[in-house]
Amino acid sequence: MRGLWKLILVELKLYLREPAATFFTIVFAPMLLLLFGTIYGNKPNPFFGGRGMVDVSVPSYIALIIISVGFMGIPVATAANREAGVLRRFRMTPLRPEAYIISNIASYYVMTAIGVAALVVVGKAVYGMKFEGNILSVWAGFTLGSLAFFALGYLIAGVASTARIAQAVGMIAAFPMMFLSGSAIPLEVLPQSVRNISRFLPLTHVVTLMRGLWAGEGWAEHLTEVAVLGGVLIVGIILSARFFRWE
Amino acid sequence: MTAIAIDRLHKSYGDIRAVDGVTFEVSPGEIFGMVGPNGAGKTTTIECLEGLRRPDEGRLSVLGLDPQRQGYELRERIGVQLQESSLPDRLKVREVMGLFAAFYRRSADSAALLEQLGLSEKAGAAFGQLSGGQKQRLFIALALINDPEIVFLDELTTGLDPQARRAMWDLVKGVRDRGKTVFLTTHYMEEAEKLCDRVAIIDHGKIVALDTPRNLVASLEAENRIVFSVEAPVDEAPFRAIQGVTRVEQSGGRIIIFGREDGLLVRVVMALDSAKIRFRDLRTEQPSLEDVFLALTGKEMRE
C-alpha cells in the first residue's frame, strides 16, 4: 500500500480546493441550521417529542451531508477523473487499485465527518442543542450510512458513461430523497401519504437511525434501519465493483 | 539482454485487426521508434507493452517480465507517458511530483527533474494552469520520476509547436544519453528520422520496414533533387549533360534536377554560372523517411 497516506492527504487537499464540494459538505448544513434555527428557535416542542427544532434537525442534516457527498460529490468526481484520464495515469504506476479506492473513500469519509463536526459545533454553540445518545453509537451509525451511500455513489459513477450524466443521475436521485426522507424537512411535518413513500427511500433509514441514536435509543430498536443500510452497503459494493471502470 | 522483445503480437478490436503479427526486439540504451499513420497499431502495441491491454496472441517480454502477469513489478521499473491522460486541475506541479514519487520503491530527485524539464518556475502552479507544452513536459517528468530503465513515450510531440518539438527531441536524447532505453511512437516521419536510433514503420498493424533511419532511406536508392526558379525558360540540354544527372523537369519557371552522385550540387551551380542563367530559391531535397513510407505503402504519410 505504498503511497496510500500520501494519496489520502492529496485527495483531502483537492477536496478543500473545490469550492462547490466544500460548500455542500461543510457549509451548507450548518447554514441551513442557522436559517431554520433563526426562524423556529430550539424551544422544546411536543410535536418533536419534547425536543426542539435544532435538536431534531442536527441528526437529520447528517443524512443531508451524507447524500450530498455520496450522490453529488463521488459520482461526478469519479466519472470526471475517469473521463479525463486521471485514473489511467494512476494505473501506470505500481499503485494498487485497492489503494486508490481506499484512499478515495477515506478522503470522502473524512470530509463528511468534518461536515458533521461543523454542524454539531454550530448546533451546540448557537442553540445549546441536546444530545442524549452515545457518541460511539452515533459514530457507528454515521459510518454505516456514509459507506452505504458512498457505495451507491460509486455505482452511479460506474454506470454513467460521462461525468455530466453522473451529475444528472446523482441530482435526480438526491433531490427528491432529500425532501422526502426527512433529512431536509422533519418527517413529522410531512403528510402521511408522503411518509408512506419515504419508507422506501434508503436515506429515510439514515435519518431514522441517526435521530434514534441521537436521542439515546438502542440499536435493538433500529434493526430495520441497520438491515436496510447494511443491505444497501453490500449490494452497493458488489454492484459498484462490478461496474467500476478505469477508463 | 534485450530490453523489449515482441514475438508475433496480435490484437483485434471486433473485426478490426489493430496489430497483426508484429515482431521486433529493442536493445538497451537505444531510442526505438514506431512510426506510422494514425490507426496503424502503434498505440495498441505500446499499450500492450505497458500492460494496459491484453494481447490476443503473441509473446511479450519487457525487462524480462510479462506485462500482464508481472505488471506491478514492471511498472516499478518503467516510465510511461500516455497519449491521453490527465491530472486533477487543482493539483500543483510540486504536489504531483511528490505524490507520484510516493508510489515507487525508488525515486529520482523531483526538484532536479523539474529543473531539467524547465518547470522549476511552475512548481507552485496548478496543473490546470499549465500550457499544453508544460503539461507534456510534466508528464515526461512523471515518466522519469522512478528513475526507470525503459521510458515509453506515446505521441510525445503531438500538438506541440515546431520549436517545442525540437526542444523535446533534445530532452529525449538526453534521457537516452543517461543510459535509458526509450520506446516511442510518432506519426511524424521527421521526428522518427531525427530522433530515433532505429525505426519500425508500421501500417495496418504490420511492420513494413525496420532499420536505422539512414539505412531505410539508403535502401530506397532514391535520387536527390535540386530545385530552383528561373526568370525565363531555359535550355535543359546542358543540365542533362552533367555527370550524375538522371532527369530534368521544367514547369512554370521551376526546374527540378534529379540525380544521385556526390558533388551534384556543385556541378549544377557551375553549369548555371557558365551559362549565365539567373536563378533564385535554389535548394536541395534529400529523400527522407517520408519517401520510404510512400515507396513501401504507396500512400502519402502526411495528413
Side-chain angles (χ1 to χ4, degrees), chain B residues 45-61:
Chain B
T45 305
I46 202 170
E47 288 185 348
C48 285
L49 289 172
E50 293 159 355
L52 210 51
R53 293 186 191 282
R54 185 183 295 277
D56 295 338
E57 266 177 67
R59 284 178 43 175
L60 301 184
S61 160

Side-chain angles (χ1 to χ4, degrees), chain B residues 116-191:
Chain B
Q116 280 164 25
L117 288 152
L119 286 171
S120 293
E121 283 170 22
K122 291 283 167 190
F127 177 76
Q129 294 169 339
L130 301 180
S131 70
Q134 288 165 343
K135 284 181 179 171
Q136 199 69 301
R137 277 182 277 150
L138 178 58
F139 281 124
I140 296 181
L142 283 187
L144 296 171
I145 192 127
N146 56 331
D147 192 22
E149 293 161 62
I150 305 180
V151 185
F152 290 92
L153 306 169
D154 194 6
E155 298 281 352
L156 176 67
T157 61
T158 299
L160 296 186
D161 59 62
Q163 196 190 343
R165 183 171 298 152
R166 270 159 221 281
M168 206 62 91
W169 294 347
D170 288 338
L171 227 135
V172 174
K173 284 179 184 162
V175 169
R176 187 246 345 247
D177 293 342
R178 273 178 283 149
K180 306 197 184 308
T181 308
V182 179
F183 184 98
L184 61 88
T185 70
T186 179
H187 63 269
Y188 297 115
M189 283 292 171
E190 191 197 358
E191 179 162 292

Side-chain angles (χ1 to χ4, degrees), chain B residues 30-272:
Chain B
E30 70 173 334
I31 300 179
F32 185 95
M34 261 191 131
V35 64
N38 291 328
K42 304 186 298 288
T43 294
T44 301
T45 305
I46 202 170
E47 288 185 348
C48 285
L49 289 172
E50 293 159 355
L52 210 51
R53 293 186 191 282
R54 185 183 295 277
D56 295 338
E57 266 177 67
R59 284 178 43 175
L60 301 184
S61 160
V62 182
L63 296 169
L65 300 168
D66 176 341
Q68 281 299 320
R69 287 187 296 116
Q70 295 161 296
Y72 291 107
E73 181 54 33
L74 179 64
R75 288 198 276 278
E76 287 278 0
R77 294 168 59 189
I78 62 171
V80 173
Q81 175 259 328
L82 294 162
Q83 193 180 147
E84 277 169 33
S85 74
S86 185
L87 291 165
D89 276 345
R90 290 174 206 265
L91 202 57
K92 293 177 182 157
V93 168
R94 190 185 297 116
E95 295 168 338
V96 170
M97 298 297 282
L99 177 64
F100 278 75
F103 295 154
Y104 296 92
R105 285 199 293 260
R106 194 162 80 151
S107 61
D109 178 354
S110 64
L113 272 180
L114 289 183
E115 177 73 48
Q116 280 164 25
L117 288 152
L119 286 171
S120 293
E121 283 170 22
K122 291 283 167 190
F127 177 76
Q129 294 169 339
L130 301 180
S131 70
Q134 288 165 343
K135 284 181 179 171
Q136 199 69 301
R137 277 182 277 150
L138 178 58
F139 281 124
I140 296 181
L142 283 187
L144 296 171
I145 192 127
N146 56 331
D147 192 22
E149 293 161 62
I150 305 180
V151 185
F152 290 92
L153 306 169
D154 194 6
E155 298 281 352
L156 176 67
T157 61
T158 299
L160 296 186
D161 59 62
Q163 196 190 343
R165 183 171 298 152
R166 270 159 221 281
M168 206 62 91
W169 294 347
D170 288 338
L171 227 135
V172 174
K173 284 179 184 162
V175 169
R176 187 246 345 247
D177 293 342
R178 273 178 283 149
K180 306 197 184 308
T181 308
V182 179
F183 184 98
L184 61 88
T185 70
T186 179
H187 63 269
Y188 297 115
M189 283 292 171
E190 191 197 358
E191 179 162 292
E193 191 168 337
K194 299 258 169 69
L195 182 56
C196 297
D197 298 316
R198 283 196 308 142
V199 172
I201 297 179
I202 184 167
D203 190 37
H204 293 304
K206 287 190 163 81
I207 289 185
V208 292
L210 197 169
D211 209 330
T212 63
R214 179 190 286 266
N215 286 350
L216 285 172
V217 172
S219 71
L220 263 189
E221 298 188 355
E223 298 148 322
N224 293 325
R225 295 178 292 265
I226 296 170
V227 185
F228 55 89
S229 303
V230 288
E231 312 263 291
V234 295
D235 180 14
E236 293 172 13
F239 298 110
R240 288 216 175 80
I242 295 171
Q243 184 197 341
V245 168
T246 51
R247 200 149 53 93
V248 178
E249 281 178 12
Q250 183 169 196
S251 69
R254 222 168 105 88
I255 295 177
I256 307 174
I257 294 170
F258 294 81
R260 205 167 275 144
E261 282 176 48
D262 292 338
L264 188 66
L265 178 62
V266 176
R267 289 195 288 275
V268 168
V269 172
M270 280 166 63
L272 282 165

Side-chain angles (χ1 to χ4, degrees), chain A residues 76-99:
Chain A
V76 182
T78 308
N81 279 341
R82 181 184 65 211
E83 212 174 321
V86 175
L87 299 188
R88 229 171 119 78
R89 188 61 196 80
F90 280 122
R91 246 186 110 188
M92 283 291 96
T93 72
L95 180 76
R96 305 272 162 172
E98 308 88 87

Side-chain angles (χ1 to χ4, degrees), chain A residues 24-198:
Chain A
F24 278 105
T25 315
I26 301 175
V27 184
F28 183 62
M31 204 178 78
L32 218 56
L33 191 68
L34 285 169
L35 187 69
F36 285 108
T38 310
I39 299 171
Y40 298 106
N42 192 28
K43 283 196 219 58
N45 189 336
F47 189 62
F48 295 126
R51 296 183 183 83
M53 175 75 181
V54 172
D55 301 335
V56 174
S57 295
V58 170
S60 310
Y61 287 175
I62 291 176
L64 205 58
I65 301 172
I66 288 176
I67 196 168
S68 75
V69 173
F71 275 31
M72 297 195 291
I74 290 176
V76 182
T78 308
N81 279 341
R82 181 184 65 211
E83 212 174 321
V86 175
L87 299 188
R88 229 171 119 78
R89 188 61 196 80
F90 280 122
R91 246 186 110 188
M92 283 291 96
T93 72
L95 180 76
R96 305 272 162 172
E98 308 88 87
Y100 179 78
I101 309 272
I102 289 170
S103 74
N104 220 266
I105 294 170
S107 66
Y108 285 119
Y109 180 75
V110 169
M111 290 309 302
T112 314
I114 291 174
V116 171
L119 179 68
V120 169
V121 166
V122 171
K124 198 88 193 163
V126 183
Y127 300 103
M129 159 205 81
K130 264 207 287 291
F131 177 68
E132 299 150 83
N134 172 302
I135 290 183
L136 280 181
S137 278
V138 168
W139 180 51
F142 158 74
T143 303
L144 174 63
S146 300
L147 295 183
F149 273 81
F150 290 0
L152 292 180
Y154 286 108
L155 175 60
I156 294 174
V159 294
S161 52
T162 66
R164 294 170 74 94
I165 291 175
Q167 184 172 33
V169 172
M171 293 260 206
I172 290 166
F175 275 109
M177 243 200 272
M178 284 179 172
F179 294 107
L180 301 179
S181 65
S183 63
I185 307 161
L187 276 173
E188 287 87 339
V189 177
L190 302 174
Q192 188 58 44
S193 55
V194 174
R195 281 153 79 174
N196 287 341
I197 304 169
S198 302

